[in-house]
Amino acid sequence: MKLAKFFLAAVLFGGLSVQLTSCSDDDEVAYYPVSISVNLPEEVTNATINGEEYKFKNVSTNEEKTFTSAAEIEVTEGLYDVTYTADVTMPNGVVTRLRALAQGVKITSGENVINLTAYNTIAADDLIIVEVFNTGTTNATGGQNRDTYIKLYNNTDRTLYADGVSFFETDFSTAQKYDYDPDVMPTDVVVRTLFTVPGDGTQFPVPPGSYFLISDRANQAAENSFDLTHADVEWYDESQVASQQDTDNPDVPNMIKVFSYSKSITILDQAQRAFGIARLGIPPEQFLAENEYVATYDLVTAAGTFNRTKDGCYKVPNEWVLDVVTIAPSDNYAWNVTSPALDCGWTYVAQNASDKTRFFKSVRRKMLYINEEGNPVYKDTNNSTEDFNARVTPSEIELQGTATDADGNAATTVTYDGVTPVK
């Protein structure tokens, strides 16, 4: 999901009428008009735009209403997430998709005007994330096995190289929203973890239809766990805490630690972060010197409002980002923590941050079809809600037939994406 460059051009204005629809003799529901302007990327100026869709999802009721014209949008009063999509045929015949997103839009009986910035979603020209297993497994006593991993995939028709790909975890939480100043999300992703695959550019080839496995610990199977000694790389983390040391498999290359928030070991057991991959455009030392992020925000509590400083994190420019998967608790989603150009949706493995049933579950990208070469082709629309199957059995558990829960019940089915069986 390489970020498309964009410029703005305002178009598409909505209608201005109000109607009352009677639900019963004693009850009337008011519908209020919405005017929408969509700023389009410059590269679609001479393109043909087809199949526009405006989707309004009521945050309180989860009810959705879809419109195919900006001139006919009328919805009831409430708080909405608004999504715009349109299919685009470029002058060269290539078909792409425009996307825009506005969250928490309040619709009232007054004037309702929404301004959206659309982004051009193009076919991936680099590796994509097909699975995030960030919760891990547990043993019979509840102890965690530290067997988390990220799985990448070559969805293209040519060999790619994982050398230089950086894996990151966002600093902002998807379950807790603050108004950070400065707001850099239109241009950057704020990260708290950044590890890079080593290599000279040809060390880690990934042929079409092949996977690249990044593991926390490339260990042999433990109780209720599975073997990860076949991982391509591991994010070994030198700890400054004597009681919390990482393990290092000497037979599996270590990723280069550019930065981590943790002074001990980097653990991905989070149900409320976005995870992504990027290719840094500059050396790590220069990146750290030039991209530190410091911001202020207001922390609102029962005792009052307190101004706080956010530091200890870094900015990754959006144009370096290859792919993002946004994960949030299904009961506590607050916001997306990257630009809609990178991700217009979110997926989940946990109901909330303390949900113990999140273990043994991952998010896996949906498979569309098997191509002529026999390789799966995965869905990629820059929308984690649409692109990923939530809360499914991890692929390594399926492939190795290991425990699917703390009771040790073994996996018996192998799938492409947690849903579609491998025949």
Side-chain angles (χ1 to χ4, degrees), residues 266-387:
T266 301
I267 301 174
L268 297 188
D269 183 20
Q270 289 285 340
Q272 52 190 29
R273 304 284 171 185
F275 301 93
I277 52 175
R279 290 189 185 271
L280 301 185
I282 54 180
E285 298 79 10
Q286 183 181 353
F287 170 79
L288 294 175
E290 298 178 355
N291 289 276
E292 186 175 5
Y293 177 68
V294 179
T296 59
Y297 64 98
D298 288 335
L299 176 64
V300 180
T301 70
T305 301
F306 305 92
N307 186 258
R308 293 288 185 262
T309 298
K310 162 71 69 178
D311 55 15
C313 44
Y314 290 85
K315 300 179 297 181
V316 174
N318 287 350
E319 60 262 30
W320 295 354
V321 176
L322 307 179
D323 199 8
V324 169
V325 182
T326 303
I327 298 178
S330 61
D331 293 345
N332 301 108
Y333 167 76
W335 65 325
N336 271 40
V337 294
T338 69
S339 164
L342 303 179
D343 196 354
C344 269
W346 60 282
T347 186
Y348 69 95
V349 289
Q351 270 75 46
N352 50 64
S354 60
D355 178 15
K356 293 185 179 180
T357 65
R358 70 186 184 276
F359 301 113
F360 298 91
K361 302 296 182 184
S362 72
V363 298
R364 296 172 63 179
R365 190 178 290 273
K366 297 175 183 178
M367 188 196 73
L368 294 175
Y369 59 91
I370 301 294
N371 64 19
E372 294 179 354
E373 289 72 33
N375 300 325
V377 175
Y378 289 94
K379 187 174 184 179
D380 184 6
T381 67
N382 287 18
N383 187 322
S384 289
T385 305
E386 297 181 2
D387 292 349

Side-chain angles (χ1 to χ4, degrees), residues 117-365:
T117 297
Y119 299 89
N120 195 8
T121 302
I122 61 176
D125 59 359
D126 212 318
L127 297 170
I128 60 173
I129 298 171
V130 292
E131 183 176 10
V132 177
F133 182 41
N134 64 306
T135 59
T137 64
T138 60
N139 57 37
T141 61
Q144 297 185 40
N145 287 317
R146 290 288 306 280
D147 48 8
T148 55
Y149 63 81
I150 309 295
K151 190 169 285 191
L152 311 184
Y153 185 74
N154 184 351
N155 215 31
T156 76
D157 59 0
R158 69 189 190 282
T159 296
L160 302 172
Y161 292 87
D163 307 48
V165 170
S166 295
F167 161 70
F168 64 78
E169 175 187 17
T170 62
D171 184 86
F172 297 164
S173 167
T174 56
Q176 196 168 31
K177 182 179 181 180
Y178 295 108
D179 293 325
Y180 295 105
D181 185 17
D183 174 17
V184 298
M185 281 201 293
T187 58
D188 301 89
V189 179
V190 178
V191 305
R192 67 175 193 168
T193 298
L194 191 64
F195 286 81
T196 301
V197 178
D200 60 5
T202 59
Q203 183 176 342
F204 295 102
V206 186
S210 297
Y211 300 88
F212 187 82
L213 181 59
I214 302 174
S215 70
D216 180 357
R217 293 177 171 180
N219 291 343
Q220 295 180 347
E223 180 188 350
N224 282 350
S225 186
F226 45 87
D227 189 279
L228 278 171
T229 59
H230 62 290
D232 294 288
V233 292
E234 62 179 358
W235 65 82
Y236 172 72
D237 197 352
E238 290 189 12
S239 176
Q240 301 175 34
V241 181
S243 61
Q244 299 182 45
Q245 296 299 310
D246 211 347
T247 63
D248 184 11
N249 184 338
D251 296 324
V252 176
N254 291 332
M255 299 183 77
I256 300 168
K257 180 181 176 181
V258 180
F259 174 76
S260 178
Y261 69 96
S262 174
K263 294 185 181 299
S264 55
I265 46 183
T266 301
I267 301 174
L268 297 188
D269 183 20
Q270 289 285 340
Q272 52 190 29
R273 304 284 171 185
F275 301 93
I277 52 175
R279 290 189 185 271
L280 301 185
I282 54 180
E285 298 79 10
Q286 183 181 353
F287 170 79
L288 294 175
E290 298 178 355
N291 289 276
E292 186 175 5
Y293 177 68
V294 179
T296 59
Y297 64 98
D298 288 335
L299 176 64
V300 180
T301 70
T305 301
F306 305 92
N307 186 258
R308 293 288 185 262
T309 298
K310 162 71 69 178
D311 55 15
C313 44
Y314 290 85
K315 300 179 297 181
V316 174
N318 287 350
E319 60 262 30
W320 295 354
V321 176
L322 307 179
D323 199 8
V324 169
V325 182
T326 303
I327 298 178
S330 61
D331 293 345
N332 301 108
Y333 167 76
W335 65 325
N336 271 40
V337 294
T338 69
S339 164
L342 303 179
D343 196 354
C344 269
W346 60 282
T347 186
Y348 69 95
V349 289
Q351 270 75 46
N352 50 64
S354 60
D355 178 15
K356 293 185 179 180
T357 65
R358 70 186 184 276
F359 301 113
F360 298 91
K361 302 296 182 184
S362 72
V363 298
R364 296 172 63 179
R365 190 178 290 273

